[in-house]
PDB file of all heavy atoms in Angstrom:
ATOM      1  N   MET A  91      -8.439  29.670  -9.072  1.00 92.00           N
ATOM      2  CA  MET A  91      -9.333  29.241  -8.002  1.00 92.00           C
ATOM      3  C   MET A  91     -10.605  28.624  -8.579  1.00 92.00           C
ATOM      4  O   MET A  91     -11.120  27.651  -8.053  1.00 92.00           O
ATOM      5  CB  MET A  91      -9.693  30.415  -7.086  1.00 92.00           C
ATOM      6  CG  MET A  91      -8.602  30.810  -6.131  1.00 92.00           C
ATOM      7  SD  MET A  91      -7.850  29.431  -5.238  1.00 92.00           S
ATOM      8  CE  MET A  91      -9.148  28.988  -4.132  1.00 92.00           C
ATOM      9  N   ALA A  92     -11.079  29.196  -9.705  1.00 91.00           N
ATOM     10  CA  ALA A  92     -12.310  28.671 -10.303  1.00 91.00           C
ATOM     11  C   ALA A  92     -12.105  27.212 -10.721  1.00 91.00           C
ATOM     12  O   ALA A  92     -12.966  26.360 -10.484  1.00 91.00           O
ATOM     13  CB  ALA A  92     -12.706  29.532 -11.499  1.00 91.00           C
ATOM     14  N   ASP A  93     -10.956  26.919 -11.336  1.00 93.00           N
ATOM     15  CA  ASP A  93     -10.663  25.535 -11.748  1.00 93.00           C
ATOM     16  C   ASP A  93     -10.553  24.616 -10.532  1.00 93.00           C
ATOM     17  O   ASP A  93     -11.088  23.510 -10.524  1.00 93.00           O
ATOM     18  CB  ASP A  93      -9.315  25.463 -12.491  1.00 93.00           C
ATOM     19  CG  ASP A  93      -9.369  26.125 -13.852  1.00 93.00           C
ATOM     20  OD1 ASP A  93     -10.481  26.467 -14.299  1.00 93.00           O
ATOM     21  OD2 ASP A  93      -8.292  26.299 -14.459  1.00 93.00           O
ATOM     22  N   LEU A  94      -9.842  25.078  -9.519  1.00 92.00           N
ATOM     23  CA  LEU A  94      -9.646  24.260  -8.314  1.00 92.00           C
ATOM     24  C   LEU A  94     -10.976  23.936  -7.646  1.00 92.00           C
ATOM     25  O   LEU A  94     -11.215  22.822  -7.193  1.00 92.00           O
ATOM     26  CB  LEU A  94      -8.777  25.004  -7.304  1.00 92.00           C
ATOM     27  CG  LEU A  94      -7.270  24.761  -7.314  1.00 92.00           C
ATOM     28  CD1 LEU A  94      -6.621  25.515  -6.167  1.00 92.00           C
ATOM     29  CD2 LEU A  94      -6.946  23.277  -7.240  1.00 92.00           C
ATOM     30  N   GLU A  95     -11.818  24.960  -7.602  1.00 89.00           N
ATOM     31  CA  GLU A  95     -13.144  24.833  -7.006  1.00 89.00           C
ATOM     32  C   GLU A  95     -13.917  23.675  -7.633  1.00 89.00           C
ATOM     33  O   GLU A  95     -14.524  22.866  -6.938  1.00 89.00           O
ATOM     34  CB  GLU A  95     -13.900  26.125  -7.325  1.00 89.00           C
ATOM     35  CG  GLU A  95     -14.604  26.780  -6.189  1.00 89.00           C
ATOM     36  CD  GLU A  95     -14.957  28.209  -6.601  1.00 89.00           C
ATOM     37  OE1 GLU A  95     -14.045  29.076  -6.633  1.00 89.00           O
ATOM     38  OE2 GLU A  95     -16.130  28.445  -6.908  1.00 89.00           O
ATOM     39  N   LYS A  96     -13.844  23.610  -8.958  1.00 90.00           N
ATOM     40  CA  LYS A  96     -14.572  22.557  -9.677  1.00 90.00           C
ATOM     41  C   LYS A  96     -14.019  21.181  -9.338  1.00 90.00           C
ATOM     42  O   LYS A  96     -14.755  20.251  -9.038  1.00 90.00           O
ATOM     43  CB  LYS A  96     -14.447  22.794 -11.189  1.00 90.00           C
ATOM     44  CG  LYS A  96     -15.586  23.619 -11.745  1.00 90.00           C
ATOM     45  CD  LYS A  96     -15.482  23.705 -13.257  1.00 90.00           C
ATOM     46  CE  LYS A  96     -15.329  25.164 -13.664  1.00 90.00           C
ATOM     47  NZ  LYS A  96     -14.491  25.414 -14.809  1.00 90.00           N
ATOM     48  N   VAL A  97     -12.706  21.070  -9.387  1.00 93.00           N
ATOM     49  CA  VAL A  97     -12.081  19.768  -9.182  1.00 93.00           C
ATOM     50  C   VAL A  97     -12.272  19.275  -7.755  1.00 93.00           C
ATOM     51  O   VAL A  97     -12.575  18.106  -7.521  1.00 93.00           O
ATOM     52  CB  VAL A  97     -10.572  19.863  -9.515  1.00 93.00           C
ATOM     53  CG1 VAL A  97      -9.854  18.589  -9.102  1.00 93.00           C
ATOM     54  CG2 VAL A  97     -10.377  20.143 -10.989  1.00 93.00           C
ATOM     55  N   LEU A  98     -12.107  20.180  -6.804  1.00 90.00           N
ATOM     56  CA  LEU A  98     -12.163  19.768  -5.398  1.00 90.00           C
ATOM     57  C   LEU A  98     -13.578  19.818  -4.847  1.00 90.00           C
ATOM     58  O   LEU A  98     -13.826  19.393  -3.723  1.00 90.00           O
ATOM     59  CB  LEU A  98     -11.251  20.656  -4.548  1.00 90.00           C
ATOM     60  CG  LEU A  98      -9.763  20.582  -4.900  1.00 90.00           C
ATOM     61  CD1 LEU A  98      -8.985  21.610  -4.094  1.00 90.00           C
ATOM     62  CD2 LEU A  98      -9.203  19.197  -4.656  1.00 90.00           C
ATOM     63  N   ASP A  99     -14.496  20.379  -5.659  1.00 83.00           N
ATOM     64  CA  ASP A  99     -15.890  20.445  -5.249  1.00 83.00           C
ATOM     65  C   ASP A  99     -16.037  21.171  -3.911  1.00 83.00           C
ATOM     66  O   ASP A  99     -16.606  20.636  -2.964  1.00 83.00           O
ATOM     67  CB  ASP A  99     -16.437  19.001  -5.176  1.00 83.00           C
ATOM     68  CG  ASP A  99     -17.957  19.001  -5.170  1.00 83.00           C
ATOM     69  OD1 ASP A  99     -18.541  20.027  -5.568  1.00 83.00           O
ATOM     70  OD2 ASP A  99     -18.543  17.977  -4.756  1.00 83.00           O
ATOM     71  N   ILE A 100     -15.450  22.387  -3.853  1.00 78.00           N
ATOM     72  CA  ILE A 100     -15.582  23.177  -2.626  1.00 78.00           C
ATOM     73  C   ILE A 100     -16.581  24.296  -2.849  1.00 78.00           C
ATOM     74  O   ILE A 100     -16.746  24.764  -3.967  1.00 78.00           O
ATOM     75  CB  ILE A 100     -14.241  23.809  -2.156  1.00 78.00           C
ATOM     76  CG1 ILE A 100     -13.130  23.562  -3.174  1.00 78.00           C
ATOM     77  CG2 ILE A 100     -13.855  23.341  -0.764  1.00 78.00           C
ATOM     78  CD1 ILE A 100     -11.791  24.082  -2.758  1.00 78.00           C
ATOM     79  N   GLU A 101     -17.200  24.695  -1.765  1.00 73.00           N
ATOM     80  CA  GLU A 101     -18.200  25.759  -1.835  1.00 73.00           C
ATOM     81  C   GLU A 101     -17.503  27.089  -2.066  1.00 73.00           C
ATOM     82  O   GLU A 101     -16.462  27.359  -1.467  1.00 73.00           O
ATOM     83  CB  GLU A 101     -18.960  25.854  -0.515  1.00 73.00           C
ATOM     84  CG  GLU A 101     -19.618  24.584  -0.073  1.00 73.00           C
ATOM     85  CD  GLU A 101     -20.974  24.391  -0.739  1.00 73.00           C
ATOM     86  OE1 GLU A 101     -21.660  25.401  -0.946  1.00 73.00           O
ATOM     87  OE2 GLU A 101     -21.321  23.236  -1.051  1.00 73.00           O
ATOM     88  N   ASP A 102     -18.105  27.909  -2.898  1.00 66.00           N
ATOM     89  CA  ASP A 102     -17.549  29.222  -3.207  1.00 66.00           C
ATOM     90  C   ASP A 102     -17.289  30.035  -1.930  1.00 66.00           C
ATOM     91  O   ASP A 102     -16.266  30.692  -1.795  1.00 66.00           O
ATOM     92  CB  ASP A 102     -18.507  29.958  -4.140  1.00 66.00           C
ATOM     93  CG  ASP A 102     -17.877  31.207  -4.714  1.00 66.00           C
ATOM     94  OD1 ASP A 102     -16.665  31.174  -4.955  1.00 66.00           O
ATOM     95  OD2 ASP A 102     -18.605  32.206  -4.889  1.00 66.00           O
TER      96      ASP A 102
END
Side-chain angles (χ1 to χ4, degrees):
M91 284 312 288
D93 290 350
L94 267 184
E95 228 165 285
K96 268 185 241 145
V97 171
L98 297 174
D99 197 19
I100 6 183
E101 304 277 324
D102 191 35

